[in-house]
Structure formats: C-alpha cells, structure tokens
Amino acid sequence: MSKVINCIIVDDEPVARDILKSHLQKVAAVTVVATCKNAIEAFNELNAHKIDLIFLDINMPEISGLSFAKSITKSTKIIFTTAYREYAVDGFDLQAVDYLLKPISFERLLQAINKFLNENITVTTKSTSEIHPQETHFIFVRSDRKMIKIDFSEINYIESFSDYIKIHLDNTTIVTRETITNIEAKLPKKDFIRVHRSFIVAVPKITLFTNEFVEINKKAIPISRSYKKEVLRRLDHV
C-alpha cells in the first residue's frame, strides 16, 4: 500500500510505550514519528509534524487523554489505549477510531489500524519471517502495575476467576485482570486448548488424560461436557 500512516504514541508508562512501538514497527504502513510521555510532548509533535493517528493513553497525570483528545483537530484520528474499560463510552463519544484494552496484542492492533484505513485491504507486516517468533512465543500481561513478559513455553495452565485469571507457570503464578476468553485469543492454538469454561491447558505439559480430566504436574484439571468432544479429538491426535 502506498499511504504511510504517521503516528505518535502518548503514554506515561515507558513499558507500555515500548511494547506499542515494537508492535507498530512491524507494520509496513505505519511510521512512528515519536513517543511521548505526556500531552505537552504530544502537542509539540503535532505542531512539528503532520500526524495522521495518535495512540493515546487515557489515565495520564496533569492532562488526561480524554482532555487532550478534545483539544486537537478532528483530522487527526485517535486510537485509545488503556487498561480501564469504564472510559470506553467517553472514548467513542470523541469519535475515536478504536478503543484498545491493555495488554494489547499485535493482532488486535492490526484490526484497529485496518479500521482506521477503512479500505478493503489488510495491513501487512514488514517481514512475516521476522515477526513470527515474537508473535508465537510470548505475551505481556499486566500484574501488580507492571507489564510482565510470559513465554508460552512456561505456561502450564490458566485458571479463571470472573474478570481475573491465574496463569500457572513452571515456577510461579501470575494474577492479572483479564477474561479467560480474551487470553485464549492471544495463545497459539496448536499449543493450548480450552478444556473447561474456567481452564485452558498447555497441551505439551499434559502428562495424562482421561475422559474426565487432564493432568499437569500432578494437578487434575476437569474436562467439562461442553468441551469434551473437541478436547478428546485433539488429544487423540497429538
């Protein structure tokens, strides 16, 4: 595609800026002009460059993302990036292109960029071979106000508690505010399988299974009736 999207990232968290920049650098259609830690820096970049799109955090000190969004021209579009669901209505009231909840997966980011383009084409990456390892061997999750990198190979199973999940690793357990359905979408399907509404397991970590449960590290994890057919089909062909 010929058009290049000039964008800036505005977020007061350095790790969040770095993760988003890393994702965007894999997209051929996007140029990251600058990363900004607050609205003042973002204003300066808007005055210095022609910016098409802003990836904007909402909960920032001094000037919030919502206040900043109200002050810029409508020709510069916004994709909100935030950890807080409750601002979604306000974000869309400001005619935001999209509203992304952290942690933001690469696939979800591409959806938002394609929505911005509003064309019947798909944004491509700069090199599929270059990004394949990054997109298949780890994710970042938010826990204790930090973004934590988790290698897929370390995950034994994931357990759901309403809006929270526990990610059971080889040597520790990480708790994050996320739904099990959202985390399932970020996992490679060849290595993980949903066995119950409350459990996802890593297929390579299964030591034995029956019609009623799978076992990982001597922990029996139930297979529910609604998932049984697919689970047994998958495991019978591993």
Side-chain angles (χ1 to χ4, degrees):
M1 115 175 229
S2 59
K3 178 176 173 55
V4 174
I5 304 168
N6 288 327
C7 75
I8 59 173
I9 299 166
V10 188
D11 198 307
D12 62 319
E13 296 183 4
V15 174
R17 294 197 301 271
D18 290 345
I19 292 171
L20 193 52
K21 184 178 179 180
S22 176
H23 283 338
L24 290 170
Q25 285 177 333
K26 299 166 190 170
V27 183
V30 173
T31 295
V32 179
V33 175
T35 62
C36 309
K37 64 179 179 290
N38 55 48
I40 302 301
E41 289 186 0
F43 273 121
N44 293 335
E45 294 298 333
L46 289 177
N47 289 330
H49 305 281
K50 172 66 172 69
I51 303 300
D52 304 301
L53 182 62
I54 303 174
F55 291 90
L56 181 61
D57 187 23
I58 289 179
N59 191 21
M60 296 189 297
E62 297 183 9
I63 302 174
S64 73
L66 292 173
S67 296
F68 174 64
K70 293 174 184 178
S71 68
I72 64 176
T73 64
K74 292 184 179 180
S75 61
T76 302
K77 300 301 181 182
I78 293 171
I79 294 176
F80 283 113
T81 60
T82 180
Y84 302 95
R85 300 172 186 272
E86 58 265 31
Y87 295 119
V89 174
D90 293 327
F92 285 116
D93 282 346
L94 290 169
Q95 298 182 327
V97 173
D98 212 335
Y99 189 97
L100 306 183
L101 285 172
K102 300 175 182 177
I104 300 165
S105 70
F106 181 68
E107 291 79 9
R108 182 65 182 88
L109 181 64
L110 280 182
Q111 291 176 15
I113 295 172
N114 277 312
K115 188 175 179 181
F116 167 78
L117 291 171
N118 195 26
E119 297 175 8
N120 294 319
I121 59 174
T122 301
V123 174
T124 58
T125 59
K126 291 180 179 177
S127 171
T128 302
S129 61
E130 288 177 5
I131 71 163
H132 182 71
Q134 286 83 357
E135 290 309 311
T136 57
H137 81 262
F138 70 83
I139 54 173
F140 282 93
V141 300
R142 180 181 293 273
S143 182
D144 193 25
R145 299 186 179 181
K146 298 185 290 288
M147 299 297 290
I148 299 175
K149 179 181 176 181
I150 299 177
D151 286 334
F152 292 142
S153 62
E154 295 180 355
I155 299 174
N156 290 318
Y157 63 96
I158 297 170
E159 188 175 4
S160 172
F161 298 89
S162 186
D163 288 337
Y164 291 84
I165 58 172
K166 287 184 177 180
I167 304 175
H168 297 271
L169 308 180
D170 291 335
N171 299 311
T172 189
T173 297
I174 293 174
V175 179
T176 182
R177 186 179 179 86
E178 180 69 281
T179 66
I180 195 168
T181 300
N182 285 346
I183 202 74
E184 181 182 19
K186 300 171 186 177
L187 300 172
K189 290 180 174 54
K190 66 182 181 64
D191 294 325
F192 293 87
I193 187 168
R194 185 90 168 260
V195 298
H196 187 280
R197 63 179 298 184
S198 300
F199 290 97
I200 297 171
V201 301
V203 175
K205 300 296 183 73
I206 296 173
T207 53
L208 64 86
F209 69 91
T210 70
N211 287 351
E212 284 74 41
F213 67 89
V214 298
E215 185 175 289
I216 296 177
N217 288 345
K218 299 183 178 179
K219 164 74 174 180
I221 300 167
I223 302 173
S224 69
R225 183 180 303 174
S226 57
Y227 291 93
K228 180 176 293 188
K229 182 178 179 180
E230 174 62 17
V231 170
L232 296 180
R233 184 192 69 79
R234 279 276 307 272
L235 295 182
D236 282 339
H237 291 84
V238 171

